[in-house]
């Protein structure tokens, strides 16, 4: 038993020894390769294990002198590839082929550096404005205007001399002229291509809605005109009720549109300004039709057996448009 245990123990240590030897061999080889290659990662371990520096980008001179980009390098590549040289990619093209787009702030900063100005102020702003690039029509670019215009306003507000204020208004006028030119061109474009006019679609939608509303009103007027020949309106009120007095305006509008209106007072106070063919004191109508509060507008159909003889058009104070809608719904 002891012999087998000793054998297993010996085999374990032998395997561990082999693994350690292999690990040390690989590690030693890797470390020697790193040091031989001049890699400073391990050599600069004193700096800490978390240091990082951005790699330096090669300069234009280094790039042009590198073997890969030299004429000899091109010839070597051509020879090694059997006479076929690769086409230059878009990245390797000369930067002069694609003009760099600079913002107004970049343009202004470049002018300030060129002229040696530390900051933009009242004493040098005219010089800077005159150096700003302009289009063929003499206008400063919109991006540059967006930067220089607020500064001229600041100077004009802080030092409102005639020169400073005039300078601001001149640039403001230039900005407005550019906007007007754009608006004129936009109008011309949407006339030629109406599908590009988003505002036109909104206006068209509004016009369509106005047309639909007008048609609905015309249809409602026609329906109400038909109802005026078969429906008598009875306005039940108290002369002392402020809501009843306020509702007279709507009832008079219905009377003026052709409806026959009868006024019935429950408290004996007659509203003289009501446009009614009859305006009487008849309190019994409240118990007859179960009226608990006023004002109430009743509708009595004449010569129409298909309709209920009496309907409640409104109970309480309603607007004229709401009363008209309810009357049209009765027609349906």
């Amino acid at each position: 038993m002891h012999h087998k245990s000793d054998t297993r123990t010996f085999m374990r240590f032998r395997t561990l020894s082999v693994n350690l030897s292999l690990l040390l061999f690989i590690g030693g080889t890797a470390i020697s390769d790193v040091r031989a290659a001049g890699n400073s990662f391990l050599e600069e371990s004193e700096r800490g294990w978390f240091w990082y520096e951005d790699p330096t980008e090669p300069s234009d001179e280094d790039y042009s002198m590198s073997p890969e980009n030299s004429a000899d390098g091109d010839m070597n590549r051509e020879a090694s590839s059997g006479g076929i040289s690769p086409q230059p990619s878009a990245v390797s093209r000369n930067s002069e082929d694609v003009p760099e787009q600079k913002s107004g702030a970049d343009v202004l900063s470049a002018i300030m550096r060129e002229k040696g100005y530390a900051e933009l102020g009242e004493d040098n702003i005219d010089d800077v404005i005159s150096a700003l690039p302009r289009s063929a029509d003499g206008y400063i670019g919109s991006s540059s205007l967006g930067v220089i215009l607020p500064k001229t306003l600041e100077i004009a507000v802080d030092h409102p001399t005639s020169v400073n204020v005039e300078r601001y208004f001149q640039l403001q006028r230039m900005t407005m002229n550019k906007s007007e030119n754009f608006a004129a061109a936009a109008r011309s474009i949407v006339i030629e291509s109406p599908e590009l006019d988003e505002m036109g679609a909104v206006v068209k939608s509004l016009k369509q809605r106005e047309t639909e509303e007008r048609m609905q009103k015309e249809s409602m007027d026609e329906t109400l005109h038909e109802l005026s020949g078969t429906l008598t309106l009875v306005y039940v009120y108290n002369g002392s009720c402020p809501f009843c007095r306020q509702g007279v305006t709507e009832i008079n509008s219905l009377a003026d549109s052709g409806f026959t209106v009868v006024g019935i007072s429950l408290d004996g106070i007659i509203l003289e300004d009501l446009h009614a063919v009859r305006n009487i004191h008849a309190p019994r109508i409240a118990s007859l039709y179960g009226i608990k509060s006023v004002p109430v507008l009743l509708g009595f159909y004449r010569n129409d057996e298909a309709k209920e003889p009496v309907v409640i058009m409104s109970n309480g104070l309603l607007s004229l448009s709401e009363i008209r809608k309810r009357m049209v719904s009765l027609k349906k």
Side-chain angles (χ1 to χ4, degrees), residues 276-290:
V277 294
R278 295 184 63 189
N279 199 356
I280 59 175
H281 176 219
R284 292 181 56 188
I285 194 173
S287 59
L288 185 60
Y289 294 104

Side-chain angles (χ1 to χ4, degrees), residues 30-311:
I31 292 175
S32 62
D33 290 344
V34 168
R35 294 186 182 276
N39 192 317
S40 62
F41 179 77
L42 295 177
E43 294 178 357
E44 299 189 9
S45 61
E46 306 86 29
R47 300 175 59 187
W49 301 105
F50 303 101
W51 57 268
Y52 173 79
E53 293 179 355
D54 291 330
T56 57
E57 297 182 359
S59 63
D60 295 340
E61 182 178 357
D62 295 337
Y63 180 80
S64 62
M65 295 300 295
S66 63
E68 296 89 338
N69 297 283
S70 63
D72 294 339
D74 291 339
M75 292 176 63
N76 292 334
R77 285 195 305 273
E78 184 175 355
S80 62
S81 60
I84 301 176
S85 59
Q87 295 295 326
S89 63
V91 178
S92 64
R93 291 176 184 170
N94 193 331
S95 60
E96 295 180 358
D97 296 341
V98 180
E100 182 181 0
Q101 298 294 329
K102 294 184 177 180
S103 66
D106 293 337
V107 172
L108 185 62
S109 298
I111 293 174
M112 295 284 289
R113 287 195 301 269
E114 180 183 349
K115 294 184 174 293
Y117 296 141
E119 61 181 19
L120 187 62
E122 184 179 5
D123 57 339
N124 59 17
I125 191 169
D126 287 326
D127 189 23
V128 173
I129 291 175
S130 63
L132 289 172
R134 299 175 181 246
S135 59
D137 53 7
Y139 288 146
I140 299 173
S142 299
S143 181
S144 298
L145 277 174
V147 176
I148 200 68
L149 185 61
K151 187 62 180 180
T152 60
L153 176 59
E154 177 185 334
I155 293 174
V157 171
D158 292 341
H159 307 283
T161 64
S162 59
V163 174
N164 291 339
V165 174
E166 182 181 359
R167 179 193 304 115
Y168 167 70
F169 278 117
Q170 286 177 348
L171 291 183
Q172 184 188 53
R173 181 68 262 175
M174 181 183 295
T175 305
M176 295 176 65
N177 287 342
K178 289 172 69 70
S179 299
E180 291 170 359
N181 292 342
F182 169 79
R187 285 193 297 270
S188 176
I189 290 297
V190 297
I191 290 175
E192 297 175 0
S193 305
E195 69 277 3
L196 299 178
D197 186 12
E198 292 296 331
M199 286 301 299
V202 175
V203 172
K204 180 180 179 181
S205 177
L206 292 175
K207 288 291 186 182
Q208 183 175 355
R209 187 171 65 182
E210 292 175 359
T211 302
E212 291 174 352
E213 290 177 351
R214 186 180 67 254
M215 294 174 63
Q216 290 176 358
K217 183 180 181 303
E218 292 174 353
S219 176
M220 180 180 292
D221 290 341
E222 183 178 352
T223 301
L224 292 174
H225 178 72
E226 295 176 1
L227 282 174
S228 64
T230 61
L231 190 65
T232 298
L233 302 180
V234 178
Y235 187 56
V236 183
Y237 64 89
N238 281 332
S240 58
C241 170
F243 301 107
C244 299
R245 293 195 298 269
Q246 186 177 350
V248 168
T249 303
E250 282 72 18
I251 303 303
N252 286 345
S253 296
L254 294 172
D256 295 342
S257 65
F259 282 93
T260 300
V261 175
V262 174
I264 295 180
S265 172
L266 300 182
D267 61 359
I269 301 175
I270 303 298
L271 297 178
E272 300 295 343
D273 56 345
L274 182 64
H275 299 177
V277 294
R278 295 184 63 189
N279 199 356
I280 59 175
H281 176 219
R284 292 181 56 188
I285 194 173
S287 59
L288 185 60
Y289 294 104
I291 297 174
K292 303 295 184 181
S293 61
V294 288
V296 171
L297 182 63
L298 301 176
F300 288 79
Y301 281 99
R302 306 187 304 269
N303 304 323
D304 193 343
E305 297 180 357
K307 300 287 186 181
E308 293 290 335
V310 181
V311 293

